[in-house]
């Protein structure tokens, strides 16, 4: 009898769950998952990282193909029997697929299910997640690149991975406009013809030379358009750390302590507002030391969107900003937990894309719905702009 009542209560009936392989912006294979209901098809594609943190969850349990076949063999009836009506019901799904699929697959599956559920409830995904958000996440934009995201010019590149701008324009559209101008100015100043994985300009210059250029761009934009920008970096320091920090441009080797001093010098010297992964992913104590500076000290490889690692960072006062990459952990329940933990501790949250992306714009809805402070999307190319376009739509109150 009781079962019958439950069945009447379920509105959403899943007809099919389909997993397939699609290409990302690097031409590498990733997973796309489609959940089909009577309302239509709801799909999500997972991105993929290149400077992957060693504590990230594995993207696939064994490999992409085996995750695809596990998901394609998931019985729609079985998922329907779980009665997923609200966000927290994802727990029931996770019990079924636990350890069977990797983080990329779990993220895409959960996001597609939530999109279907949101539609069933006549809501946009971001509204279904929380719905009360007034302030939208401010875009962080990658202008110039180095590190493992860039091939370099004649074998030379900056050691840091990303040189970033954040605009304080009042609207998302305003921020995009200023960021686009900054990206064009960088092209003119660097005379670079090459863009990297994330659409940022490649160069043979050193970190310091790039930061000089960023300051020139910032001043030009202030003078010409009266718009304010602040400067950030993602050092992605684990990618050049092996007992010591091994810089190539120019060649030098810094101890862990010397690296802390060097970063402090850059924060002061170039008035940095945002510094992501300035130290290697095991150095919580070093992060704590840097967190005394007046600057956002942000964990990415350090925290890997993992509640346990974030709790440690909070306890040690290691960071005041945290990157949230859903496919670093897979579970959207954990993503929500990470954001809630950060907010409670007064830590700013940054929803983030990966260097390998598709045109999927799910992170825009997640960033808005979970009330993140910032969103890292890049500024150039279709796969970057799709997220920004979605943010503009949300800002204007438009539907998908
Ligand atoms: P990834 O890099 O997507 O290659 O991991 C992005 C970042 O480090 O923020
Ligand atoms: Zn990073």
């Amino acid at each position: 009898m009781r079962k019958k009542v439950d069945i009447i209560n379920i509105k959403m009936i899943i007809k099919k769950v389909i997993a397939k392989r699609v290409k990302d912006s690097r031409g590498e294979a990733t997973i796309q998952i489609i959940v089909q209901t009577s309302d239509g098809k709801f799909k999500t594609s997972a991105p993929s990282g290149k400077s992957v943190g060693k504590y990230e969850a594995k993207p696939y349990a064994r490999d992409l193909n085996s995750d695809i076949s596990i998901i394609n063999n998931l019985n729609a009836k079985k998922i329907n029997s779980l009665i997923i009506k609200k966000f927290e019901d994802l727990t029931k799904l996770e019990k079924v697929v636990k350890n069977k699929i990797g983080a990329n697959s779990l993220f895409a599956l959960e996001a597609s299910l939530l999109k279907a559920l949101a539609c069933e409830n006549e809501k946009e995904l971001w509204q279904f997640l929380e719905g009360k958000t007034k302030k939208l996440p401010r875009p962080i934009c990658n202008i110039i690149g180095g590190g493992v995201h860039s091939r370099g010019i004649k074998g030379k590149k900056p050691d840091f991975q990303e040189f970033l701008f954040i605009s304080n324009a009042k609207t998302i559209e305003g921020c995009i406009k200023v960021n686009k101008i900054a990206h064009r100015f960088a092209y003119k100043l660097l005379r670079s013809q090459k863009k990297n994985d994330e659409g940022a300009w490649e160069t043979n210059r050193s970190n310091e030379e790039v930061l000089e250029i960023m300051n020139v761009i910032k001043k030009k934009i202030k003078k010409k358009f009266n718009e304010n920008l602040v400067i950030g970096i993602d050092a992605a320091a684990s990618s050049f750390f092996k007992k010591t920090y091994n810089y190539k441009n120019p060649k030098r080797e810094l101890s862990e302590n010397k690296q802390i001093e060097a970063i402090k010098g850059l924060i002061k010297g170039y008035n940095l507002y945002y510094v992501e992964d300035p130290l290697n992913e095991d150095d919580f104590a070093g992060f704590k030391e840097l967190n005394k500076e007046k600057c956002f000290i942000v964990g990415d490889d350090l925290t890997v969107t993992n509640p346990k690692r974030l709790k440690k960072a909070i306890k040690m006062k290691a960071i005041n900003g945290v990157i949230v990459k859903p496919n670093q952990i897979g579970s959207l329940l954990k993503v929500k937990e990470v954001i809630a933990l950060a907010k409670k501790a007064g830590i700013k949250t940054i929803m983030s894309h990966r260097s390998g992306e598709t045109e999927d714009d799910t992170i825009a809805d997640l960033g808005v719905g979970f009330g993140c402070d910032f969103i890292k999307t890049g500024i150039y190319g279709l796969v970057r702009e799709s997220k920004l376009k979605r943010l503009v739509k949300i800002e204007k109150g438009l539907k998908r």
Side-chain angles (χ1 to χ4, degrees):
M1 188 63 200
R2 195 156 174 252
K3 209 165 179 201
K4 246 189 172 160
V5 174
D6 279 347
I7 290 168
I8 292 165
N9 276 342
I10 319 171
K11 280 155 76 194
M12 185 174 79
I13 303 288
I14 296 163
K15 291 181 176 163
K16 250 187 196 167
V17 178
I18 305 158
K20 59 182 191 184
R21 131 199 306 264
V22 291
K23 290 250 167 92
D24 71 14
S25 49
R26 275 194 282 258
E28 286 167 14
T30 185
I31 195 162
Q32 181 180 73
I33 297 183
I34 304 159
V35 168
Q36 197 180 333
T37 71
S38 50
D39 284 331
K41 290 178 177 173
F42 302 90
K43 45 183 171 178
T44 308
S45 307
S48 55
K50 193 164 204 175
S51 66
V52 178
K54 84 173 172 213
Y55 298 104
E56 287 190 29
K58 274 169 60 182
Y60 305 107
R62 206 176 56 187
D63 54 40
L64 173 59
N65 283 344
S66 72
D67 271 25
I68 286 178
S69 72
I70 288 166
I71 290 160
N72 283 333
N73 285 321
L74 264 182
N75 198 323
K77 265 195 203 142
K78 170 115 187 164
I79 301 186
N80 282 324
S81 73
L82 299 173
I83 312 179
I84 298 172
K85 288 184 186 170
K86 53 182 194 306
F87 182 83
E88 283 67 27
D89 290 337
L90 291 177
T91 320
K92 301 179 195 172
L93 174 77
E94 289 185 14
K95 275 193 192 128
V96 174
V97 295
K98 205 174 172 204
N99 303 328
K100 289 191 183 133
I101 56 174
N104 267 18
S105 312
L106 185 60
F107 157 67
L109 178 60
E110 292 193 352
S112 293
L113 265 176
L114 290 176
K115 286 172 191 175
L117 214 50
C119 180
E120 193 64 42
N121 285 275
E122 292 173 10
K123 285 184 174 169
E124 297 286 303
L125 175 59
W126 68 270
Q127 291 171 317
F128 183 74
L129 294 174
E130 209 83 294
K132 296 180 216 96
T133 318
K134 282 267 173 337
K135 233 175 101 207
L136 297 183
R138 185 177 293 278
I140 299 182
C141 152
N142 186 3
I143 300 277
I144 300 170
V148 299
H149 284 178
S150 299
R151 293 146 294 177
I153 291 173
K154 291 191 184 138
K156 273 175 95 183
K157 56 186 176 181
D159 290 294
F160 293 162
Q161 185 175 281
E162 296 165 23
F163 296 85
L164 308 155
F165 270 138
I166 309 170
S167 152
N168 79 342
K170 284 200 180 66
T171 62
I172 299 285
E173 266 189 319
C175 291
I176 296 171
K177 211 168 136 191
V178 178
N179 290 340
K180 280 213 173 293
I181 295 170
H183 190 262
R184 213 168 40 245
F185 276 178
Y187 161 72
K188 284 190 182 153
L189 288 167
L190 292 170
R191 277 182 246 109
S192 172
Q193 303 291 334
K194 238 162 87 179
K195 288 187 245 25
N196 74 0
D197 279 0
E198 289 194 5
W201 296 109
E202 297 222 13
T203 176
N204 58 0
R205 306 195 193 210
S206 68
N207 293 333
E208 289 77 4
E209 285 168 338
V210 172
L211 287 171
E212 292 286 349
I213 289 172
M214 295 290 278
N215 265 308
V216 171
I217 298 171
K218 182 177 142 176
K219 281 183 194 140
K220 266 181 157 235
I221 287 182
K222 176 73 186 165
K223 203 169 158 206
K224 230 177 147 183
F225 302 97
N226 198 26
E227 291 284 354
N228 296 307
L229 284 167
V230 287
I231 300 174
I233 56 165
D234 179 2
S238 294
S239 62
F240 57 96
F241 176 78
K242 237 192 226 159
K243 290 192 182 139
T244 55
Y245 293 90
N246 293 282
Y247 287 84
K248 291 199 175 106
N249 187 14
K251 201 167 163 37
R252 74 209 125 125
E253 206 184 303
L254 298 186
S255 67
E256 290 189 274
N257 282 338
K258 284 262 158 42
Q259 171 77 355
I260 293 173
E261 291 315 309
I263 297 290
K264 281 185 183 172
L266 294 178
I267 292 173
K268 291 197 181 83
Y270 297 98
N271 202 10
L272 301 185
Y273 173 86
Y274 174 106
V275 174
E276 182 179 329
D277 279 349
L279 305 173
N280 79 75
E281 58 211 327
D282 289 304
D283 193 3
F284 281 89
F287 270 81
K288 178 184 173 170
E289 180 58 34
L290 279 179
N291 202 18
K292 293 173 186 157
E293 296 297 304
K294 222 177 138 264
C295 175
F296 279 117
I297 302 296
V298 180
D300 171 9
D301 292 347
L302 181 82
T303 36
V304 291
T305 320
N306 182 323
K308 274 195 199 143
R309 290 189 68 85
L310 178 60
K311 277 182 195 161
K312 184 170 176 186
I314 291 170
K315 205 166 158 203
M316 289 191 69
K317 295 194 169 60
I319 50 171
N320 57 0
V322 67
I323 285 280
V324 179
K325 290 173 174 166
N327 80 325
Q328 278 182 328
I329 187 85
S331 159
L332 288 174
L333 290 159
K334 292 250 167 71
V335 168
K336 189 175 177 181
E337 186 186 343
V338 158
I339 294 169
L341 281 168
K343 285 187 174 201
K344 203 166 156 222
I347 290 172
K348 297 284 181 205
T349 52
I350 303 111
M351 182 59 65
S352 172
H353 66 163
R354 304 298 306 249
S355 51
E357 269 290 342
T358 67
E359 285 183 46
D360 186 287
D361 56 14
T362 310
I363 58 161
D365 282 69
L366 297 182
V368 176
F370 288 143
C372 291
D373 301 285
F374 298 96
I375 184 163
K376 249 175 112 179
T377 65
I379 188 71
Y380 186 90
L382 285 181
V383 301
R384 312 293 155 194
E385 283 169 303
S386 65
K387 285 86 175 152
L388 294 167
K389 277 190 190 145
R390 176 70 184 146
L391 284 173
V392 171
K393 269 200 168 176
I394 295 173
E395 180 170 69
K396 292 188 167 169
L398 297 171
K399 291 195 172 150
R400 179 165 287 282

